[in-house]
Amino acid sequence: MLDPQSELEFFNQDNMEEISQLATLEMSREAIARKKSLAVVPEKAYYPDSVYVMAANIFQGIQIEKSPDRVIIKYGNEPLPCWFQSEDESFQRLSYELAFSTLKYQDILETILIDSYIFPSTKIPDQLSSLIIVMLYDFQDRKFQPRVLPDNEESISEVQEVESLLNSFKTKLAAALARCRIKHDALSIYQILPETVRRQEQRASTLPLYAWINTGKISPEEVYSSLRRKGYNKVKSVLHLDEKVFAVDQHCYDVLIFPSHLKKDLANIDLFKDYKLIFQDKSRSLAVHSVKALLNMDDDILMVNTGSWYTVAHMSILTNNNTSKIFVCGIQSPDKEPDVKKLFTKMGCQNIEILPETFIGLESKDHRLQNVKVILLLPRCSGLGVSNPVEFILNEHEDTSLLQDLSQGGPPKSKLQILVQQQYEQLTHAMKFTKVQAVVYCTCSVYTEENEAVVMKALECQTQGIKIQPYRLSPPVLPLCSLEEIQLSMDKFFRVEPSDVTNGCFLSILTRERDPSETVSVKDVLARAAAKGLLDGVDVGKSLKREKKRKKSKTTLAKAPAHDNSGIQMKITEFLSREGKLSTSVKTPLPPKTVSQVGTSSQVRKAGRPATNNTLVTTLMKTTCPPRPEERPTNLRRTRPEGRVIPLKSVEIALPPVMFPFSSPQGVRAQIPANNFYYRLVGAKRFCSSLAIF
């Protein structure tokens, strides 16, 4: 932390006046340059009074508290009265961005206030301290130029009072800022920030927008056509994202990518107003698509810590063609439940049920959850992989304390340990549901403690019962679109590193090992479908009778009669003797088979042939004289004795997930890039040239 007292001792009054004159000269030069550039560069928008008040209240709740012996500026406990309450997204975004920016520079701004003698010389109520520091950040960001507001703008008395105070101390504030920059040898206060925070800001400035298509309302082709009519061009790669363009994401076929500067323009088009396109972080789309790939047609889903209701809606839209039901654990504000249900109705979601209990309070024996086969767990995390915390909090409804941690480059160790313990408890609780077959664990963190360590510890400590199959780590079900992604997923975890084009993400899939004794009959499937009303007008009895008849025919197969081995051996000897006599009259025999031909044919026929046939083939191969051309047998294979049941070896084949994303007949086929890599499981063979990634 900066020490303001040492600065006061170091700088005397003469130095302060000299630096003040230099700062004033610098401001005048900057003002002249700014006037010259007004014709080409738009002037920074000014915040209205209501944004200042809301940002001050947000900052008061997330400001970093100092130890009592070092506190000079007190922020009070009561928020400022805010007469203007708005649900407008742009208003909230401006307020959160201003509060977060102030939080990042809290130490520097407090030093400037103390060094300029605003504190503690002036008698300012503690209630206004948060408003002063918020407005000071904006004041220095405007190069200490006055704020110009339209005539019809409503004013707030507290804001006007603080603004007059800052204007009266303008010269001293500029001098204090100049001394701070000189002390840190920085051209701007931005360079004083920690390296992790600066990298985060750089990524946030270029991070594109992600939006998923509500295929329950519109098909992708219709979205593309509508965007083209608005002047947007479709490109293939995110590297070409400039001007009015969009691209299709490589991992999720229903996710579009837009440049960040188009947010205001896109928010005003009908596609977003009518909930046909929904802005959301890509990590949430990766999570719901992973769940979709693990589902059967009638499997239910339990979603935990979803944050944004858009995540639940996306999961619902992806399962529109299924009979799946989505259960969501708890709602933070019960009074908002009617609004949430209205939102789902507008978006066309019908298979969602909100549970009032917390996830830890749910039990495996709950009758409502008996058909839940997949749990999606999105635990609270440090969020260190997030590049734009404000957008993430607004879209995902995360706790505002995330801003406090990210403003300092990450959470303290004590808080990280608490988060890790909560994540471990939730994951182990999810693994206790006996009917569940898969758990999808997803975070927006890059910490190993919150990701791999939690998953591996949960696998090692899982309780194994007699009738419960254990969980194992499964490879990702998402396409791997680059060599880097393949390398990052070699240990069966899916990772996305924070970059200029996406936030960081970690995803792990735990699947329960299948019980070989557990089989599902056709009768069970038909009964379950009939219970859900899917077989109206279909006679189930005929299908069941057909199944019983098929089972009966399999169990009453006649046993093959015993063969006399000595009689078979005599017939083989007579056949070979007769063929040897006939071959003596042939002068030019046919060329024998090559070793490769014999080996290939024998390997192909070897797998499913009884022992007696193997003996016959081996004996015939040892014959040195080939048969006569005119009498060459066309088929030496023996027919399998009727009634002989040959056991077959089971082979497990894992295929890429098949997507049916469109409920309307005009929907188009899912678009998956050609250059994708999938995990494949192949059987162990001696001569296998296929490449498998484990």
Side-chain angles (χ1 to χ4, degrees):
M1 176 181 173
L2 302 176
D3 188 1
Q5 298 297 337
S6 62
E7 292 187 21
L8 291 176
E9 295 173 359
F10 180 78
F11 293 102
N12 54 29
Q13 187 67 25
D14 295 336
N15 288 337
M16 289 180 61
E17 292 179 357
E18 182 179 355
I19 294 175
S20 177
Q21 293 175 0
L22 292 174
T24 306
L25 180 61
E26 180 183 359
M27 285 191 300
S28 62
R29 290 176 178 174
E30 289 180 354
I32 294 173
R34 188 175 184 180
K35 288 181 180 179
K36 291 181 178 179
S37 62
L38 283 177
V40 291
V41 180
E43 192 173 0
K44 184 182 183 299
Y46 297 120
Y47 294 113
D49 289 6
S50 55
V51 170
Y52 282 135
V53 174
M54 184 174 181
N57 290 336
I58 295 172
F59 175 80
Q60 187 181 46
I62 62 177
Q63 54 93 14
I64 301 172
E65 297 181 358
K66 308 295 191 303
S67 58
D69 58 328
R70 301 177 64 183
V71 171
I72 299 178
I73 301 177
K74 298 179 181 179
Y75 293 99
N77 299 321
E78 295 295 328
L80 292 172
C82 187
W83 306 107
F84 180 77
Q85 297 290 342
S86 175
E87 297 294 331
D88 182 59
E89 185 179 351
S90 61
F91 174 81
Q92 293 184 354
R93 180 175 290 102
L94 287 174
S95 303
Y96 273 94
E97 286 177 349
L98 180 57
F100 183 57
S101 299
T102 306
L103 183 64
K104 287 186 291 187
Y105 297 98
Q106 179 178 343
D107 284 347
I108 301 172
L109 296 173
E110 286 180 351
T111 301
I112 294 174
L113 288 172
I114 296 171
D115 197 9
S116 61
Y117 293 104
I118 291 183
F119 284 95
S121 62
T122 57
K123 295 181 179 180
I124 301 173
D126 295 344
Q127 190 180 13
L128 293 180
S129 297
S130 58
L131 182 61
I132 290 175
I133 196 169
V134 164
M135 294 185 67
L136 173 60
Y137 170 78
D138 182 52
F139 195 29
Q140 66 82 31
D141 194 42
R142 299 196 317 262
K143 308 299 181 184
F144 299 101
Q145 297 302 309
R147 183 175 59 129
V148 179
L149 292 174
D151 296 334
N152 59 351
E153 184 71 28
E154 295 184 6
S155 62
I156 300 176
S157 59
E158 291 85 355
V159 174
Q160 299 300 318
E161 179 184 351
V162 171
E163 190 167 31
S164 298
L165 175 66
L166 293 177
N167 283 326
S168 64
F169 278 81
K170 180 174 68 172
T171 302
K172 293 182 178 180
L173 290 171
L177 175 60
R179 287 193 293 272
C180 183
R181 289 163 50 185
I182 292 171
K183 179 181 177 181
H184 292 87
D185 192 20
L187 296 176
S188 66
I189 60 174
Y190 168 77
Q191 296 179 343
I192 305 176
L193 293 176
E195 180 65 24
T196 54
V197 179
R198 279 185 286 165
R199 286 202 304 266
Q200 182 189 82
E201 280 198 4
Q202 291 173 358
R203 292 196 302 266
S205 63
T206 61
L207 190 69
L209 305 170
Y210 289 87
W212 54 272
I213 302 173
N214 186 349
T215 52
K217 286 189 166 217
I218 192 171
S219 68
E221 284 300 329
E222 291 173 334
V223 172
Y224 305 157
S225 300
S226 178
L227 289 173
R228 289 190 186 100
R229 289 194 296 269
K230 298 288 184 180
Y232 290 84
N233 296 319
K234 183 180 177 183
V235 294
K236 294 183 178 180
S237 174
V238 293
L239 299 178
H240 298 91
L241 284 183
D242 54 1
E243 302 301 329
K244 296 184 70 172
V245 295
F246 68 94
V248 180
D249 185 69
Q250 291 182 315
H251 298 101
C252 307
Y253 62 86
D254 62 343
V255 173
L256 302 183
I257 314 173
F258 299 90
S260 58
H261 67 272
L262 296 175
K263 181 66 178 285
K264 187 175 181 180
D265 183 59
L266 290 169
N268 293 324
I269 65 176
D270 293 337
L271 288 174
F272 286 92
K273 290 181 179 179
D274 299 336
Y275 296 102
K276 295 177 181 179
L277 275 176
I278 295 92
F279 288 119
Q280 194 168 27
D281 186 67
K282 180 182 174 179
S283 62
R284 297 316 192 221
S285 297
L286 292 173
V288 296
H289 273 274
S290 297
V291 173
K292 177 64 172 63
L294 298 168
L295 288 176
N296 293 319
M297 288 295 292
D298 58 346
D299 291 344
D300 291 343
I301 308 159
L302 177 60
M303 302 183 69
V304 184
N305 296 340
T306 54
S308 172
W309 295 111
Y310 290 153
T311 308
V312 182
H314 196 181
M315 188 78 261
S316 174
I317 296 300
L318 288 178
T319 56
N320 262 353
N321 293 331
N322 298 10
T323 58
S324 301
K325 197 169 187 178
I326 300 172
F327 296 94
V328 186
C329 281
I331 181 170
Q332 294 181 353
S333 302
D335 56 332
K336 291 185 178 180
E337 186 170 349
D339 297 333
V340 172
K341 291 183 177 179
K342 289 180 181 178
L343 174 65
F344 290 153
T345 302
K346 291 179 181 178
M347 300 183 71
C349 306
Q350 301 176 350
N351 57 343
I352 302 172
E353 181 176 341
I354 300 174
L355 304 178
E357 299 92 342
T358 62
F359 177 57
I360 300 297
L362 292 175
E363 296 182 357
S364 176
K365 297 180 181 180
D366 194 320
H367 68 279
R368 297 168 297 180
L369 309 178
Q370 293 307 299
N371 196 40
V372 171
K373 295 297 186 291
V374 182
I375 294 179
L376 173 56
L377 184 57
L378 300 166
R380 279 192 59 203
C381 63
S382 64
L384 197 58
V386 177
S387 300
N388 194 333
V390 172
E391 287 288 343
F392 188 76
I393 285 178
L394 291 176
N395 294 335
E396 303 303 323
H397 303 288
E398 289 288 340
D399 189 359
T400 54
S401 62
L402 180 66
L403 295 177
Q404 187 182 80
D405 298 334
L406 295 181
S407 68
Q408 304 300 307
K413 272 191 175 182
S414 58
K415 186 173 182 179
L416 182 61
Q417 291 174 354
I418 295 174
L419 290 173
V420 169
Q421 182 62 28
Q422 293 175 352
Q423 294 156 0
Y424 172 74
E425 291 175 357
Q426 290 183 348
L427 182 56
T428 53
H429 186 65
M431 297 168 67
K432 293 178 182 177
F433 287 75
T434 56
K435 299 290 185 180
V436 173
Q437 298 299 316
V439 177
V440 177
Y441 179 87
C442 182
T443 73
C444 295
S445 173
V446 295
Y447 283 129
T448 304
E449 295 91 330
E450 297 182 276
N451 299 333
E452 296 89 344
V454 170
V455 174
M456 298 309 296
K457 182 180 178 182
L459 288 174
E460 293 172 0
C461 301
Q462 63 179 316
T463 56
Q464 299 183 5
I466 300 176
K467 296 183 179 180
I468 301 177
Q469 295 297 110
Y471 277 96
R472 63 181 177 183
L473 193 61
S474 295
V477 292
L478 297 167
L480 304 178
C481 305
S482 66
L483 291 176
E484 181 183 3
E485 290 183 3
I486 295 176
Q487 293 172 355
L488 291 173
S489 305
M490 290 299 289
D491 52 359
K492 299 184 180 180
F493 295 116
F494 185 87
R495 302 180 185 87
V496 177
E497 294 295 328
S499 64
D500 294 340
V501 296
T502 181
N503 286 324
C505 174
F506 172 85
L507 198 146
S508 175
I509 297 177
L510 306 180
T511 56
R512 199 183 292 279
E513 296 180 3
R514 291 285 183 180
D515 188 353
S517 62
E518 182 181 348
T519 57
V520 180
S521 64
V522 178
K523 180 180 179 181
D524 296 333
V525 175
L526 292 176
R528 192 183 302 172
K532 294 196 175 188
L534 301 177
L535 300 179
D536 295 339
V538 179
D539 189 1
V540 183
K542 292 184 179 180
S543 301
L544 298 179
K545 289 180 181 179
R546 198 175 294 117
E547 182 197 3
K548 291 180 181 179
K549 186 180 294 185
R550 195 178 296 114
K551 287 184 178 179
K552 187 175 181 180
S553 64
K554 289 182 180 179
T555 55
T556 58
L557 286 174
K559 293 185 178 180
H563 295 277
D564 188 3
N565 293 337
S566 60
I568 294 175
Q569 189 64 33
M570 289 178 62
K571 291 180 180 180
I572 294 174
T573 306
E574 291 175 0
F575 174 77
L576 295 176
S577 177
R578 182 172 65 254
E579 290 297 318
K581 291 178 182 179
L582 292 174
S583 63
T584 55
S585 60
V586 181
K587 294 183 180 180
T588 56
L590 291 174
K593 280 186 178 181
T594 62
V595 176
S596 61
Q597 290 173 333
V598 174
T600 304
S601 61
S602 63
Q603 288 173 6
V604 172
R605 294 192 298 265
K606 186 177 180 180
R609 194 173 287 252
T612 55
N613 291 351
N614 290 339
T615 306
L616 177 61
V617 173
T618 306
T619 307
L620 292 176
M621 283 183 178
K622 292 181 180 179
T623 307
T624 56
C625 299
R628 294 170 60 183
E630 63 273 11
E631 298 181 8
R632 185 175 183 180
T634 58
N635 186 10
L636 298 180
R637 295 175 57 191
R638 291 185 58 190
T639 59
R640 182 173 59 126
E642 294 185 4
R644 176 72 61 88
V645 180
I646 301 174
L648 299 177
K649 296 182 179 179
S650 61
V651 178
E652 183 179 353
I653 302 175
L655 299 175
V658 179
M659 306 290 186
F660 297 98
F662 308 109
S663 57
S664 57
Q666 67 268 22
V668 295
R669 188 172 299 176
Q671 296 187 3
I672 299 179
N675 297 327
N676 289 342
F677 299 88
Y678 290 88
Y679 280 92
R680 298 191 296 117
L681 301 178
V682 297
K685 294 184 180 181
R686 183 175 301 178
F687 302 100
C688 182
S689 59
S690 299
L691 174 63
I693 302 176
F694 294 95

